[in-house]
Amino acid sequence: DPTSTPAWKELKKLSKSGKKFPLRQAFSTDPDRFKKMALCADSLVFDYSKNRVDDVIMDRLFQLANQTRVQDALAQMLSGEPINRTEHRAVLHPALRSFSGKPWKVDGKDVMPDVIAVRRKMKRFADAIHQGTHRGYTRKKIRTIVNIGIGGSDLGPLMVTEALRPYWMKGIHVYFVSNVDGAHIHETLKQVDPETTLFLIASKTFTTQETMTNAHTARSWFLQHAKKESHIAKHFIALSTNEKAVSAFGIDPKNMFEFWDWVGGRFSVASAIGLSVMIAVGPEIFEEFLSGMHLMDIHAAEAVGRDNAPLILALLNIWNTAVLSTKSRAVIPYSFDLRRFPAYLQQLIMESNGKSVTMDGSSLTLESGPLVWGAPGTNGQHAFMQLLHQGSDVVPVDFIGFARSSANDESRNELLFTNLLAQSRALAFGRNIDELPDRSATPHRVFAGNRPSTTIVAPELSAAVLGQLI
Ligand code: F6P
């Protein structure tokens, strides 16, 4: 229980001053504040200087991490122990993106040979689609992929496919169908040709109501055109852990790309669930994406204290949510291609933390976690930023920006990036009466500042950087 630790008691004592933490003054009295509160992790720069923290608060937060043995818990997870206690399962998704050559064991068995075999099978299949050796039932090339899934079997591949738009292979179009509302599947089917379409039925359990309903609709629609059941083999692929249910649906297990019960749905984009991404961008870019995740896995496990960026983000989240009682957390990428990132993080964070009991079943003594939401900048500036600057609630923000444009338009990127910096600056420093051009409607135009934000910057939105961000 974190609230029974000495560090927690100290943090509680600091909460009153934390709420009023004067960010403007903190920067003017310490010109090195940015240098002290920014770090590089792989390709990313993390600037947490605009949070309501000083050295004393950071020290207490790291003490909290030590006293609750956070790094031990991570090590336990990475060693394949069954830390998912209710289902008695290991939680080993980092193995999916490992290139270290070391074994990752579950129940004493190295899972890497199976992981590598599925990676190779995915690559062979993606190559066969691109080279036209896997063709449809009338021998036409496959041009359209429809991924049918929901939750982690949709949000991950959808977000990553959109984010990697500059790398899309020519001649392939990918659709994602998730909602059980018929509008989603029927509108998609109107746009695709059965002779050139491949359906990926993406479901860890292969029992999820929405996915199976949509998969059956797609199957009937396909058979209306193709007539013969034997043609299904060329047009329906399963991404799943449940071979029995896949066979019962009518997909031959050799057309199934397997993953395992130690992969939580919300972490599954690095597994066979990523096949739509691999077909969209090609196996090399997909591997680059996995390597980016792997780099950050190593960083999270090995970097110590103030050099560990994910640990710092986690502690700031605890400080804001559990100590200073903020209720939500906005994620605002200044990148149109990352527009689905907030929705992806919503599942990743809120489905992971959305419990009111601890691992052993006793009631929580602190908040579960914040409501995570967001939209890309600059759109958010013309929608919700007003309330973040001047509304009564404090909402910590994570900004994400890129030094180079993925649209090859550097002047627009400068516009985009300066907007990001201006927003973080205005949140932190506010605007006082002396900074107003005139004195009309003063109370409506000044704003107090001291609103926390973290800024993550990368050179560009490459596949490796996207992996690191996740
Ligand atoms: O909403 C619960 C959940 O199990 C998610 O964790 C998961 O990503 C989603 O449903 C879809 O599950 P499946 O991949 O088994 O269809």
Side-chain angles (χ1 to χ4, degrees), residues 150-153 202-208 211 265-266 273 347 351:
I150 199 163
S153 301
S203 176
K204 178 176 169 177
T205 53
F206 231 72
T207 56
T208 306
T211 300
R266 57 206 182 279
I273 291 291
Q347 188 207 15
E351 203 172 68

Side-chain angles (χ1 to χ4, degrees), residues 17 51 90 144 178 188 290 294 417 425 466:
S17 55
N51 278 280
T144 310
S178 54
T188 306
L290 296 185
H294 179 53
F417 198 79
R425 185 191 167 97
L466 181 64

Side-chain angles (χ1 to χ4, degrees), residues 162-221:
E162 296 280 348
L164 299 182
R165 176 198 46 77
Y167 305 97
W168 286 351
M169 308 278 294
K170 282 209 177 75
I172 295 279
H173 193 87
V174 186
Y175 292 87
F176 290 86
V177 173
S178 54
N179 204 304
V180 76
D181 179 347
H184 206 172
I185 184 86
H186 294 311
E187 284 310 304
T188 306
L189 293 178
K190 276 185 203 162
Q191 296 173 59
V192 306
D193 175 353
E195 293 177 46
T196 57
T197 298
L198 178 76
F199 293 94
L200 305 181
I201 314 302
S203 176
K204 178 176 169 177
T205 53
F206 231 72
T207 56
T208 306
Q209 187 195 48
E210 293 91 332
T211 300
M212 296 330 294
T213 306
N214 284 328
H216 280 289
T217 302
R219 191 176 186 275
S220 310
W221 172 86

Side-chain angles (χ1 to χ4, degrees), residues 305-370:
R306 283 211 186 192
D307 289 326
N308 190 321
L311 177 61
I312 292 172
L313 286 181
L315 291 172
L316 290 171
N317 187 48
I318 295 281
W319 171 242
N320 283 321
T321 309
V323 187
L324 302 185
S325 305
T326 55
K327 296 286 171 236
S328 84
R329 170 177 181 183
V331 179
I332 308 185
Y334 274 68
S335 157
F336 181 69
D337 290 335
L338 267 191
R339 63 194 175 282
R340 310 260 183 190
F341 198 48
Y344 169 77
L345 291 180
Q346 234 164 30
Q347 188 207 15
L348 194 65
I349 302 174
M350 293 172 75
E351 203 172 68
S352 295
N353 290 342
K355 285 280 194 301
S356 54
V357 293
T358 66
M359 299 258 278
D360 65 17
S362 51
S363 293
L364 281 189
T365 51
L366 71 173
E367 286 72 7
S368 313

Side-chain angles (χ1 to χ4, degrees), residues 3 24 26-27 52 54 89 117 140 149-151 160 172 201 228 247 281 305 310 321 335 361 389 410 415 453 467:
T3 64
R24 197 184 267 251
F27 274 89
R52 295 173 293 177
D54 56 19
R89 286 180 185 167
K140 285 189 183 162
I150 199 163
V160 174
I172 295 279
I201 314 302
K228 287 192 195 152
S247 302
V281 300
T321 309
S335 157
H389 286 294
E410 295 314 326
L415 201 61
S453 70

